[in-house]
Amino acid sequence: MMATSSRERGRPRVSSREAIEREAIRLFREHGFAATTIPMIAHASGVSRTSVFRYWGSKSEIIWTEFDAHTHRLTQSLQGADRDAATMTAVREQVVANLARSIDASALWMERFAILDSSPDLSGEAAAHWLDWAGVVADHIARRHGLEPLDLVPQTAGAAVQAAFLAVLRRWLPVDNPSADLLPELDAVLRPLCDALQQWMDVQLAASGEV
């Protein structure tokens, strides 16, 4: 019992992860992602380097862990989407709802996005992560209509929705602490896009004999 208690006291508490993340984001914003080191993050957080690596395997994971959680939640949201709704209506509703959940889950969500969107050192990784995000939408559309995820309709719609989603986030970057205020704009931007995509999709599916 004594040994266990000692080990537990030596580990950062759950709240320490949030504190370390907060300090890391602050340093990334002040010094840039490339110039910020793990020792700098550890020192600012009042913990050891080992404590930082206990939560994240690399510096970039501090940025990408929550992004990947957001993408995973989008997958789950789309799986539970209203089957009676038009495909692109369901996509729009779940994309907006999922962003709301991400904003609620982390007050640092937009700050993290600002870093990943502006750092040259993260650009390659960013492209891959955004492709994964678009792929989630494409996979959902493919499942709804018995298509392959790489088919024309799912790929086109997924890429279009992802591009609009990213554009809205970028428009809100100059706003301090936008929180959920951006959600109505995101919905307003996606609504006509998704309606147009639905019409195009219906034409394409009818021409190919797909339902």
Side-chain angles (χ1 to χ4, degrees):
M1 291 294 293
M2 292 293 292
T4 300
S5 299
S6 176
R7 284 197 300 271
E8 288 177 350
R9 284 196 299 270
R11 293 173 180 168
R13 297 169 306 204
V14 173
S15 59
S16 293
R17 177 189 173 103
E18 298 172 3
I20 295 169
E21 182 183 31
R22 193 178 306 112
E23 288 300 321
I25 297 297
R26 180 182 65 79
L27 292 171
F28 292 152
R29 296 297 299 270
E30 290 181 2
H31 303 286
F33 179 82
T36 300
T37 65
I38 292 294
M40 288 170 63
I41 295 170
H43 177 74
S45 305
V47 299
S48 67
R49 292 177 56 184
T50 302
S51 296
V52 178
F53 284 120
R54 185 171 290 125
Y55 293 122
W56 300 281
S58 66
K59 185 173 66 172
S60 64
E61 281 188 16
I62 300 174
I63 298 296
W64 294 120
T65 297
E66 181 54 35
F67 185 99
D68 291 341
H70 167 86
T71 303
H72 178 67
R73 284 192 294 268
L74 180 59
T75 301
Q76 295 178 315
S77 296
L78 289 169
Q79 288 173 350
D82 184 0
R83 297 290 297 182
D84 293 328
T87 300
M88 295 311 300
T89 297
V91 167
R92 172 179 56 80
E93 292 173 347
Q94 296 308 317
V95 166
V96 174
N98 189 56
L99 180 57
R101 283 188 287 270
S102 290
I103 291 172
D104 289 343
S106 173
L108 297 173
W109 205 89
M110 281 297 290
E111 289 192 61
R112 188 184 292 103
F113 170 72
I115 294 164
L116 69 89
D117 197 54
S118 62
S119 173
D121 298 271
L122 291 171
S123 60
E125 293 179 55
H129 284 268
W130 280 116
L131 280 174
D132 288 343
W133 192 100
V136 167
V137 176
D139 288 347
H140 173 72
I141 295 169
R143 285 194 302 272
R144 286 273 297 248
H145 296 282
L147 303 171
E148 293 297 324
L150 294 179
D151 286 348
L152 173 67
V153 167
Q155 284 293 300
T156 301
V161 173
Q162 182 267 311
F165 181 77
L166 179 56
V168 171
L169 292 184
R170 284 174 173 161
R171 280 170 57 168
W172 278 81
L173 281 176
V175 179
D176 291 332
N177 302 317
S179 65
D181 294 339
L182 65 84
L183 297 175
E185 179 178 329
L186 177 61
D187 186 72
V189 168
L190 289 180
R191 187 178 296 271
L193 172 65
C194 288
D195 288 349
L197 285 170
Q198 185 67 54
Q199 294 178 19
W200 172 80
M201 181 186 304
D202 291 343
V203 171
Q204 294 296 317
L205 295 177
S208 63
E210 300 287 350
V211 178

